[in-house]
Every structure is written in structure tokens, then in C-alpha cells.
Amino acid sequence: MTNLAIDPERLLARLRELGELGRTADGKLTRLAASDADKLGRDKFVAWAKDAGLAVKIDRIGNIFALWNDAEAPEAKPLMLGSHIDTVIDAGIFDGCYGVLAGLEVVETLKEAGFVPRQPIVVAAFTNEEGVRFAPDMMGSLVHAGGLGADDALAVRDTDGIRLGEELAHIGYAGREEPGFLQPEAYLELHIEQGPVLEREGVAIGAVENLQGISWQRVTIEGVANHAGTTPMALRQDAGHAAARVITFLQGRAAASRSGTVATVGTIAFEPNAINVIPARAIFTVDLRDPDEVRLKAEEQALADYLAALAAETGVVISAERLARFEPVVFDRDLVARIEAAAETRGLSCRRMTSGAGHDAQMIARIAPSAMIFVPSIGGISHNPKEFTPETDLVAGANVLLDVVRRLASS
Ligand code: HGY
Ligand code: MN
Ligand code: MN
């Protein structure tokens, strides 16, 4: 069984097929959590898992678990693989989906080879990893890990005021299992890097040893609507201009950071949003990240201090609401070493690295030894339809996952 390998065509064909589900009329891939589009992807994964002879269980937050129970010790804690199949807006086809489908591919390959694992193996597709529609991100895995109550999560409303719980019921994924009903012995997540490092260095595999901290806030700036033509500049309380100053402040600080702090204002809205009205209100989100908790805290404090000073100087009123806050995570050293060893055995170049993106693994690391395997992203592009990873890299990553799983599950 040493030269066991996944079925490349089955994995690649499924990635392409899943990548077509949830496209809008203009061809953009958008499967926001608990949407009708998300249901299409969920139904497809469940069908493939059932065809593979796996038992499919859904928990109350809609997390999907495809379970292979034919183990020597069926009652033992399972080995968990997986990621997410919800996407951002106008997404690529690999983010999250690759990890879920490669996990399924690994299980099918082991089953077909007659391998009997020591313990059950389960492939998870976690709800709302992206957090675009319902905050926080990594929500399904956070609930699974006990970091957020299921009822609190189900009560979260999207930007249209619709509750997550209502939407999961609407798409038929308000499951019965209590979140956390499956406590894994270990968790492995295969994912595209979504950054430029592996491609730039010509390295095939990333053994991810840590993941940076994330701070999400929604900032509201209250100014005074007034006439764009008659109001002298010195008499304005322009919420739009204040927001622009905050964005420039954040960009300047992050660009000057020597520690890799990153800052993003990804959404912004003005009210009343009229061409000839000085904005009365500006509402925008701030995404701050840093691998070091002390530095991340310092960036949050610097922003808070700047907002207070800006309000005092201009007379606008500024408030900030926390949407998500996750500390940096260090992954399991033994699993990271196993990933490196598996890459080396296959003659694949490998390097240890930090994840810039958030992942379900950072939540499951709260309850079980966890680690991630990265494969290159061309141009470092992700959260963009141009997201791309060559087939050879996709297959190589899945085979490394196969080898690590097979060794972990061998008695
Ligand atoms: O925000 C993130 O890093 C992830 O894509 N949810
Ligand atoms: Mn992802
Ligand atoms: Mn993502």
C-alpha cells in the first residue's frame, strides 16, 4: 500500500463540478453561507459522500460530517479532515472546496484500497467559514469547538436582518446533532495558500505551523448631512471624509509595519448616499491581522486612539462594534513534522509557514491537535475568480494528505 495515490481525475472533476454550482446569471461564483446557492454545494457534497458509502450527519449549525466508521475501533475518536464549501462574493473554485473534496478523495482512496483505519475518519464541511454574510467568520467550526453557543450563532442576522437559523431551516440544513458531538483525535486541513510565498519560492507544499490573529470591527461615523454646494468646507461634519482619513491612517500604519500587520477596509456605505449631500453617516468594516497577539492588540489600540482624536478634531461621533476576534494559533508540532515527512517521501519540496488567512483549523485547534497543508496559489491570488492552483499541485497536496492520514490511522 506504500505507493497508494488518490484518483486525480475524480478529485479534479469534482472541483470543477462544485465550482459551477451557485453561479449568478453573470457567471460569478457566490455561495454565501446558508443561501440557496450554498444549498446546491451542500447537496452535491452530501450526494458524493453518500455514494462513497459514508454516513452523513448534520449538526444544529449546519456543519456537515461525512463519517467512515469501518474502523478497527469504531468507538475511538475520529480523525477529522475537511474545510468549508461556502464562498465569498465572486469567488474562485478552490478556497475551502479543495480541502473538503480532497478529504473525501482520501477516504474513498483508502476504502477502495481495502485499508482498515484504526479509528473512524470523518470529512467535515463547516458552515459559514467566510463570514461574509454572517459574522464572525469560521462560525461553524467555532461553534463545533465550543467557542460560540449554537443558539447565539443561529440568532445572528445577515445584512438584510435574516437570522442564520431561519436560513439553515430554509435550505434544509438545520440538523439535529448537537454541535461538538464529534470530538476529533486530530484535524488536518488541506487548503490553497491564498498568498504568494510558495509560488515565489517554487515550493510545492506548505507545512503550516501557525496562523495569524484576526480582528474584525464595524465602525460607524455620524456626521451632519448638508448641502454639497452651500456648506463652506470649514463648517462641515463630513462622515465620508472622516472615513477616508481612517482608511488612510490604517493603510499608512500597516504599510509601515515591520512585522507584517495587515489592514483592510473591505466594505463601506454612506448615508444618505446622494451625490449632492454631505454624508451624514459612514459605516465600514476594519479587518486587522498580525501573527503576534501583542502587536495585534497594539494595532487595535492605535485605531481606537485615532478614532477618538478624529472625533475630537472634527466633531463627528464615532462608534466601533467588534464583529470577530481570534488570537493567533500555533498548530501541532507532531502533525507539522508528519506533513514535512510525507512531502519529503514523495520528493516534494516543503517549507514551514504562517497562514495569513483564517481557517477552520484555527478553531478545531482549540479541541484537538490540528495542522494545515498548503499548496501554491498562482500570483498569490484568492477571494477572486482568478484564484488558481495547477493540477499537479492540487494532486500533490491531496497525496500528502493521504499519506499523513494513512500513517496516523494505521494501527
Ligand atoms: O477571512 C479569512 O481569512 C477567511 O477567508 N475566512
Ligand atoms: Mn478558506
Ligand atoms: Mn476564504
Side-chain angles (χ1 to χ4, degrees):
M1 202 173 285
T2 48
N3 55 3
L4 197 59
I6 61 126
D7 177 341
E9 213 17 66
R10 179 167 58 191
L11 172 62
L12 298 171
R14 284 176 173 166
L15 263 173
R16 289 190 290 266
E17 187 171 348
L18 183 57
E20 286 309 306
L21 300 179
R23 287 193 183 272
T24 48
D26 56 4
K28 291 181 179 172
L29 175 60
T30 302
R31 286 202 306 266
L32 296 185
S35 63
D36 290 338
D38 186 22
K39 173 177 176 55
L40 296 175
R42 287 167 169 268
D43 291 350
K44 178 56 73 180
F45 171 60
V46 167
W48 282 328
K50 286 183 175 169
D51 289 349
L54 305 186
V56 174
K57 294 180 182 290
I58 317 284
D59 74 10
R60 290 179 57 220
I61 192 76
N63 291 323
I64 302 169
F65 299 95
L67 195 54
W68 179 28
N69 242 336
D70 309 337
E72 285 171 3
E75 73 297 333
K77 278 189 167 186
L79 195 49
M80 186 180 279
L81 319 178
S83 191
H84 63 96
I85 54 175
D86 65 305
T87 74
V88 294
I89 299 166
D90 195 9
I93 69 168
F94 302 100
D95 178 358
C97 301
Y98 172 51
V100 172
L101 295 181
L104 178 60
E105 176 57 36
V106 162
V107 167
E108 288 192 84
T109 300
L110 290 171
K111 266 172 77 84
E112 289 159 355
F115 178 80
V116 180
R118 180 167 50 83
Q119 77 272 70
I121 300 179
V122 59
V123 183
F126 290 108
T127 293
N128 188 35
E129 189 277 346
E130 293 294 1
V132 168
R133 185 181 176 198
F134 303 97
D137 57 349
M138 286 78 73
M139 185 191 271
S141 49
L142 178 64
V143 170
H144 184 83
L148 175 65
D151 293 329
D152 292 336
L154 293 169
V156 171
R157 293 174 186 271
D158 71 2
T159 39
D160 298 326
I162 303 171
R163 280 196 183 85
L164 173 61
E166 293 160 21
E167 285 295 83
L168 286 171
H170 167 69
I171 67 169
Y173 281 89
R176 279 199 299 271
E177 301 293 349
E178 215 31 58
F181 76 100
L182 263 184
Q183 288 294 307
E185 180 189 79
Y187 176 75
L188 281 164
E189 182 166 355
L190 174 60
H191 206 287
I192 54 171
E193 178 199 340
Q194 302 179 291
V197 172
L198 291 175
E199 184 199 29
R200 187 177 57 203
E201 296 183 3
V203 172
I205 298 289
V208 187
E209 51 185 358
N210 64 324
L211 189 149
Q212 63 180 346
I214 300 176
S215 162
W216 280 6
Q217 299 179 61
R218 179 182 293 117
V219 175
T220 301
I221 299 181
E222 304 279 355
V224 176
N226 214 325
H227 195 296
T230 58
T231 311
M233 296 307 284
L235 299 183
R236 296 180 179 213
Q237 285 181 359
D238 182 338
H241 180 237
R245 288 180 63 180
V246 176
I247 295 172
T248 305
F249 166 79
L250 285 167
Q251 292 296 320
R253 265 192 77 89
S257 159
R258 281 190 301 279
S259 62
T261 307
V262 287
T264 310
V265 174
T267 71
I268 191 164
F270 288 164
E271 292 174 8
N273 201 34
I275 186 168
N276 57 358
V277 179
I278 299 166
R281 186 174 296 111
I283 303 161
F284 57 94
T285 53
V286 177
D287 177 322
L288 284 173
R289 308 200 192 194
D290 194 297
D292 179 284
E293 176 63 9
V294 172
R295 286 196 303 255
L296 185 55
K297 280 204 173 94
E299 291 307 314
E300 288 176 317
Q301 189 55 56
L303 173 59
D305 294 346
Y306 183 78
L307 295 178
L310 184 63
E313 177 201 331
T314 61
V316 297
V317 176
I318 302 179
S319 59
E321 174 199 358
R322 172 169 284 185
L323 297 177
R325 181 62 168 88
F326 301 124
E327 293 194 7
V329 163
V330 177
F331 288 132
D332 181 78
R333 297 165 59 85
D334 171 59
L335 287 177
V336 173
R338 287 172 177 268
I339 293 165
E340 288 178 307
E344 189 182 349
T345 307
R346 282 194 179 263
L348 295 166
S349 53
C350 178
R351 61 153 284 168
R352 292 188 174 215
M353 60 195 297
T354 296
S355 173
H359 295 288
D360 293 309
Q362 81 190 86
M363 301 309 166
I364 305 303
R366 298 178 182 208
I367 56 173
S370 301
M372 295 189 74
I373 305 167
F374 275 174
V375 293
S377 290
I378 298 307
I381 294 171
S382 184
H383 285 187
N384 177 320
K386 292 192 174 65
E387 182 181 279
F388 180 72
T389 297
E391 292 185 352
T392 46
D393 291 327
L394 293 168
V395 174
N399 277 323
V400 168
L401 181 67
L402 171 72
D403 296 347
V404 174
V405 169
R406 185 161 54 84
R407 290 197 183 92
L408 280 171
S410 297
S411 51

